[in-house]
Amino acid sequence: MDNVDLDVLRTVLAWRRAGRAVRLYTVVQTWGSAPRQPGSMLALRDDGVVIGSVSGGCIEDDLIRRQAAGLPDEQGAVRLISYGVSREEAARFGLPCGGTLRLVEERIVDSDWVETLVARCAQQLLSVRQLDIASGRSRLGEAGPEDAFAFDGSTLRTVYGPRWRMMLIGAGQVSRYAAEIALLLGFEVLVCDPRSEFSAEWDDGRVTFVAGMPDDAVLDIHPDARTAIVTLTHDPRLDDMALLAALKSEAFYVGALGSKQTTERRRGYLSELGLSPDEIGRLHGPIGLHIGSHAPAEIALSLMAQVVALKNGVAI
C-alpha cells in the first residue's frame, strides 16, 4: 500500500469527524497504460477539496466538476464509473486511444471501518477489505502475504498495510535516511543494532527495533520474498553474521554497505563460512544504483532506488 493512499484514508477520517460529506474513489480496472494502478485512491470533500490521485489530473477535474454541478446520484452508496469508453472520451481524459479506466465511488457515511483500518495500519498490520458493489456492505479482516487486490465486477477486495518489509542492520546515519525513504514508500521498517550508542537517540515510533544480535534478529523476523535486508554497520562482526542468515533466507534483496574491495573480501569470507556460490551471488554490494553518491542521504537514495527496482521486477 502506498503511503499516499494511507494519507487518503487518514484524511477521509478527519473530514468525517469534522462533519463533512466525503466520496472515496478507488481505481479498480485499467486498460492500456495508466498513471495510477488498481487500488489507488482519491477522496473528494463536499467543497471540492481532494486528496490522492486516480489519473494524471483530467479525471480528478471531472469528478470535481460533476460534484460542483450537482449532478444527480444513482441510487445506492456505491457505484461504478467508467472513463474512456469511446475514442473521443479517451482523448478527452488523456487515456490511451480506446483505453478505459474504471472507478468505484463510495459515499462515506459510516466511517467506522476507516477508523479501524487507519488504526491497524498504524500498528503495521495487514488488512483486507471486501466491498459488495450492489449492497454497499463491506467486511474488514486480517490479510496474509498471499492476499492481493482483486475485482470481479461485483466484489472489490483491497489490501491495506505494509506489503513490503526492510530490515536495516545498524542504526547509523545512512540507516536513518534509508528508513525515512522506505517509510514514505510504504515499507515496514525494522532496525537491529546491539550498539546502544547508535540506537539510544533513535525515537521514531514508526520504526520497529528488533532486539538481539543481527544474525538472530534476521532469523526472528522469518524473512520472506517481500523482505529486504541491508547491513550498514561497517563492523564485519555484525554485518557478516547477519548476511550469513539473510543470504540463506527468501529475502528478495540482501545488500551490504562497503567498497568494491570490501565486498570482494566479504564474498571470500562468506565462502569460507560455508555459503554456496549461488547464495553469495545474491549479495548486492556495493549497495545502490550508481548515482555518484557520497553523502549519507545520497547513499540511502541510491539504495532505495535499487530496492524498489528489484521490488518492481526491473532487471539491474
Side-chain angles (χ1 to χ4, degrees), residues 279-303:
E279 289 168 339
I280 295 172
R282 298 182 59 225
L283 176 64
H284 291 273
I287 56 171
L289 300 182
H290 179 63
I291 59 172
S293 55
H294 297 287
E298 294 175 344
I299 295 171
L301 176 62
S302 70
L303 163 65

Side-chain angles (χ1 to χ4, degrees), residues 106-147:
E106 296 180 70
R107 284 181 285 173
I108 305 300
V109 179
D110 180 2
S111 59
D112 287 349
W113 71 267
V114 183
E115 184 171 6
T116 300
L117 188 53
V118 168
R120 287 183 58 83
C121 289
Q123 299 173 53
Q124 300 293 331
L125 299 175
L126 196 61
S127 305
V128 60
R129 180 181 180 233
Q130 185 165 300
L131 173 67
D132 181 75
I133 304 300
S135 67
R137 290 192 295 268
S138 68
R139 184 172 68 251
L140 193 64
E142 295 183 6
E146 71 285 352
D147 284 307

Side-chain angles (χ1 to χ4, degrees), residues 16-314:
R16 288 300 298 137
R17 285 174 173 172
R20 307 304 295 260
V22 182
R23 298 170 190 265
L24 180 65
Y25 297 90
T26 304
V27 178
V28 294
Q29 287 177 316
T30 63
W31 288 263
S33 61
R36 297 284 280 150
Q37 62 186 1
S40 302
M41 294 184 293
L42 173 144
L44 174 60
R45 202 168 67 184
D46 50 19
D47 59 355
V49 173
V50 300
I51 181 170
S53 174
V54 293
S55 78
C58 291
I59 290 176
E60 285 84 345
D61 290 342
D62 187 67
L63 294 173
I64 296 169
R65 180 191 64 80
R66 290 170 62 89
Q67 177 167 280
L71 298 179
D73 290 328
E74 297 177 3
Q75 290 186 345
V78 180
R79 62 171 173 163
L80 288 172
I81 304 175
S82 295
Y83 285 94
V85 175
S86 67
R87 183 182 298 269
E88 293 75 15
E89 194 176 51
R92 174 187 171 195
F93 293 109
L95 297 168
C97 186
T100 303
L101 172 69
R102 184 170 292 170
L103 310 174
V104 163
E105 178 194 75
E106 296 180 70
R107 284 181 285 173
I108 305 300
V109 179
D110 180 2
S111 59
D112 287 349
W113 71 267
V114 183
E115 184 171 6
T116 300
L117 188 53
V118 168
R120 287 183 58 83
C121 289
Q123 299 173 53
Q124 300 293 331
L125 299 175
L126 196 61
S127 305
V128 60
R129 180 181 180 233
Q130 185 165 300
L131 173 67
D132 181 75
I133 304 300
S135 67
R137 290 192 295 268
S138 68
R139 184 172 68 251
L140 193 64
E142 295 183 6
E146 71 285 352
D147 284 307
F149 177 92
F151 178 67
D152 62 8
S154 60
T155 302
L156 172 64
R157 285 176 57 86
T158 312
V159 177
Y160 303 91
R163 300 288 290 170
W164 302 87
R165 297 187 297 172
M166 169 167 279
M167 168 169 268
L168 302 171
I169 306 300
Q173 198 170 21
V174 173
S175 294
R176 291 174 184 258
Y177 286 117
E180 193 67 35
I181 299 171
L183 288 166
L184 286 171
L185 294 170
F187 281 76
E188 177 187 3
V189 178
L190 307 109
V191 177
C192 176
D193 195 330
R195 306 168 301 175
S196 58
E197 61 271 25
F198 283 89
S199 58
E201 297 302 317
W202 194 331
D203 57 357
D204 192 332
R206 301 170 299 169
V207 171
T208 300
F209 274 84
V210 183
M213 296 299 290
D215 51 335
D216 292 328
V218 170
L219 295 174
D220 287 344
I221 69 167
H222 303 288
D224 57 19
R226 293 179 177 271
T227 304
I229 301 172
V230 190
T231 63
L232 300 164
T233 72
H234 277 304
D235 185 340
R237 296 170 300 176
L238 301 177
D239 288 350
D240 292 351
M241 296 308 292
L243 292 173
L244 278 173
L247 290 169
K248 289 180 175 292
S249 75
E250 297 181 10
F252 78 93
Y253 180 94
V254 180
L257 184 66
S259 66
K260 290 182 179 179
Q261 292 79 6
T262 298
T263 299
E264 287 309 308
R265 289 196 299 269
R266 175 176 284 125
R267 292 180 188 275
Y269 179 61
L270 293 173
S271 178
E272 293 175 4
L273 291 176
L275 288 188
S276 70
D278 287 343
E279 289 168 339
I280 295 172
R282 298 182 59 225
L283 176 64
H284 291 273
I287 56 171
L289 300 182
H290 179 63
I291 59 172
S293 55
H294 297 287
E298 294 175 344
I299 295 171
L301 176 62
S302 70
L303 163 65
M304 292 309 304
Q306 187 178 50
V307 170
V308 170
L310 287 173
K311 176 182 82 73
N312 292 340
V314 176

